[in-house]
Amino acid sequence: KNMFHAGYVVAKADGLLALQNGLVAALWVQLIMNGLRLGTYQLADSKGYIRDNDGNLIFFKSIVFGGLGGTIGQYFASPFFMIKTHFQSQASQSIAVGYQHQHTGTWHALKTIFNEHGIKGLFRGAGASIPRAFVGSTSQLTSFAYTKEFLTKYNVLTNYPYLKSFVASMVGGVAISTMITPFDLVLTRLYNQGVDAHGRGLL
């Protein structure tokens, strides 16, 4: 019925720890995706590629490098993102929704998919993750950077740099959540679909 009811049903049917299904794969997603995403953006910023001679952000360059970093990160994290989705959809029969993959662990899932469908199987759905990554990354990084620039320009929270970063991060979080949700919905269904004998998605 809603987020809280869903959490209660999952915990009741599969146990409280089921709310952390896919955590190991999710941690690998964040390590790979954000390492490459934020690293690419920070490198571009430190090299002066996204700012003018006065140090102001150049909007379209910020979008390009934010999107580029996000796309690279999302693509290489795609196998773990897919496995995370499989685990989060895996449930007891009484509440099961969608295709049910029977993985016993992250490394077991990687090995099984690779043995059955090769590298191509591990990157199934990765192409669909590219628009998600571009839109999500550019909306978050650009809104974060511009919010910090705005606060600095008008001397807001000047003596509180950590709070300034926190506020900018919150704005970035709202931006990415709003922009990325439609792409997440589509990507989740593509990642969690069943496959035929040749490893092709059924949808």
Side-chain angles (χ1 to χ4, degrees):
K1 297 177 181 178
N2 53 54
M3 182 179 71
F4 301 106
H5 180 251
Y8 166 76
V9 170
V10 170
K12 183 179 179 182
D14 291 329
L16 196 59
L17 288 178
L19 293 170
Q20 291 285 3
N21 276 357
L23 177 61
V24 172
L27 291 172
W28 278 102
V29 168
Q30 294 303 319
L31 178 69
I32 297 168
M33 181 175 67
N34 282 317
L36 290 169
R37 183 172 73 101
L38 298 175
T40 301
Y41 191 81
Q42 183 60 46
L43 180 64
D45 195 7
S46 64
K47 295 290 185 180
Y49 296 150
I50 62 175
R51 294 183 185 272
D52 60 23
N53 294 331
D54 296 323
N56 298 313
L57 280 173
I58 302 171
F59 183 71
F60 80 91
K61 288 187 176 181
S62 179
I63 287 179
V64 168
F65 281 101
L68 179 64
T71 300
I72 293 170
Q74 177 73 62
Y75 187 82
F76 284 103
S78 186
F80 288 103
F81 201 105
M82 179 175 67
I83 290 167
K84 173 186 75 77
T85 304
H86 291 179
F87 274 116
Q88 290 178 338
S89 302
Q90 198 167 298
S92 60
Q93 190 173 356
S94 61
I95 62 168
V97 175
Y99 192 87
Q100 295 291 295
H101 299 268
Q102 301 303 318
H103 302 311
T104 58
T106 300
W107 304 112
H108 170 263
L110 282 170
K111 183 180 178 181
T112 300
I113 294 169
F114 177 76
N115 287 341
E116 291 181 1
H117 307 295
I119 292 290
K120 188 176 180 180
L122 289 173
F123 282 88
R124 180 170 53 81
S129 73
I130 290 174
R132 172 196 185 274
F134 190 90
V135 170
S137 188
T138 55
S139 60
Q140 184 181 39
L141 292 175
T142 303
S143 59
F144 170 80
Y146 269 100
T147 301
K148 281 195 75 174
E149 196 173 83
F150 176 86
L151 294 174
T152 300
K153 181 178 179 180
Y154 291 98
N155 296 317
V156 179
L157 302 174
T158 304
N159 298 322
Y160 304 95
Y162 292 116
L163 183 56
K164 183 190 293 185
S165 293
F166 177 77
V167 170
S169 297
M170 292 292 287
V171 173
V174 171
I176 190 174
S177 298
T178 303
M179 297 298 293
I180 209 170
T181 297
F183 298 94
D184 261 345
L185 177 69
V186 172
L187 194 60
T188 297
R189 296 188 183 188
L190 285 173
Y191 274 149
N192 198 53
Q193 66 182 308
V195 296
D196 62 19
H198 302 288
R200 293 189 295 259
L202 299 177
L203 300 181

